[in-house]
Amino acid sequence: GSGAAADGRSDEIELTSGSADRTVDIGLHEPAAVGSHVWVDADADGFQDDGEHGLAGVLVRLVDADGAVVASTTTDPAGDYRFEDLAPGEYRVEFVTPAGMEASPLDVDASDLLDSDLDPATGRTAPIVLVSGRIDLSWDAGFIVPTVVLSSPEVNTATPQLAITGRTLYGLFGVAALLLGLGGSVQIMADRVRRRGERLAL
């Protein structure tokens, strides 16, 4: 293992005349980086289509293999984000879903460059293994605005039932009288209505 501390210095070494200590060493690595793009998936197909714009201000966290958050950032106006100066290791990227939106379908494209890598069930990507010097800018997340279906209010199609009163009957008598010249059937109806009115009056 490395015998150097974070400042690049080892512990104190005591050497006597003619002795040699070959146990002190140091391991070096180039910093790694991970990042990419968050966009509005307008057609909810999980793929970055032409004309679908980036989503700014989305909170993005970098999580290590133990599940601890080691860094966080927000997407820029173009929807891009990046974590830099990372030590080699295993990470996941966690995206906080914006209010009123939901995650796009996961991994719809085999190339993995223009699809969404966010697992809707966990809010995180799959494990990302970074080696020394690796810059991996392929981890994207799409978000969609759910379609809202408005149901139409129920319409009461039942025929309203009007109570028959004495005033209603007199009105029917008047209508029947005006239509007497239109045929015997109208006369018969008027007679029936009049007889019913007479029974109600009794």
Side-chain angles (χ1 to χ4, degrees), residues 86-103:
L86 302 176
E90 181 180 293
Y91 300 91
R92 293 175 189 261
V93 178
E94 178 180 89
F95 301 90
V96 178
T97 302
M101 304 187 82
E102 61 185 41

Side-chain angles (χ1 to χ4, degrees), residues 3-202:
D7 62 2
R9 298 182 178 183
S10 69
D11 294 334
E12 186 175 320
I13 304 168
E14 185 174 339
L15 295 175
T16 60
S17 178
S19 66
D21 187 346
R22 292 185 172 84
T23 63
V24 179
D25 53 20
I26 184 171
L28 299 175
H29 69 267
E30 295 183 73
V34 65
S36 197
H37 189 64
V38 178
W39 87 99
V40 177
D41 188 5
D43 57 3
D45 66 350
F47 189 83
Q48 297 177 49
D49 301 297
D50 292 339
E52 292 182 333
H53 60 82
L55 189 57
V58 176
L59 178 59
V60 187
R61 301 185 183 109
L62 187 67
V63 180
D64 65 15
D66 296 324
V69 176
V70 297
S72 63
T73 188
T74 55
T75 54
D76 66 16
D80 298 326
Y81 75 94
R82 184 181 292 199
F83 296 104
E84 298 180 311
D85 298 325
L86 302 176
E90 181 180 293
Y91 300 91
R92 293 175 189 261
V93 178
E94 178 180 89
F95 301 90
V96 178
T97 302
M101 304 187 82
E102 61 185 41
S104 297
L106 172 67
D107 287 337
V108 298
D109 186 63
S111 71
D112 208 34
L113 294 176
L114 294 175
D115 64 0
S116 182
D117 305 300
L118 169 62
D119 185 345
T122 64
R124 297 177 175 178
T125 65
I128 305 165
V129 178
L130 296 179
V131 297
S132 177
R134 183 180 182 189
I135 299 176
D136 187 346
L137 304 181
S138 64
W139 298 92
D140 307 315
F143 290 100
I144 64 177
V145 179
T147 303
V148 178
V149 178
L150 299 177
S151 59
S152 58
E154 293 185 8
V155 179
N156 186 0
T157 57
T159 302
Q161 302 297 319
L162 300 178
I164 296 178
T165 63
R167 181 176 297 176
T168 304
L169 289 174
Y170 290 133
L172 290 174
F173 293 154
V175 172
L178 290 174
L179 298 176
L180 282 177
L182 297 179
S185 59
V186 174
Q187 180 64 48
I188 293 171
M189 179 189 73
D191 290 341
R192 288 179 179 174
V193 172
R194 183 171 56 255
R195 286 197 298 271
R196 183 173 182 184
E198 290 171 353
R199 287 199 300 270
L200 289 176
L202 292 177

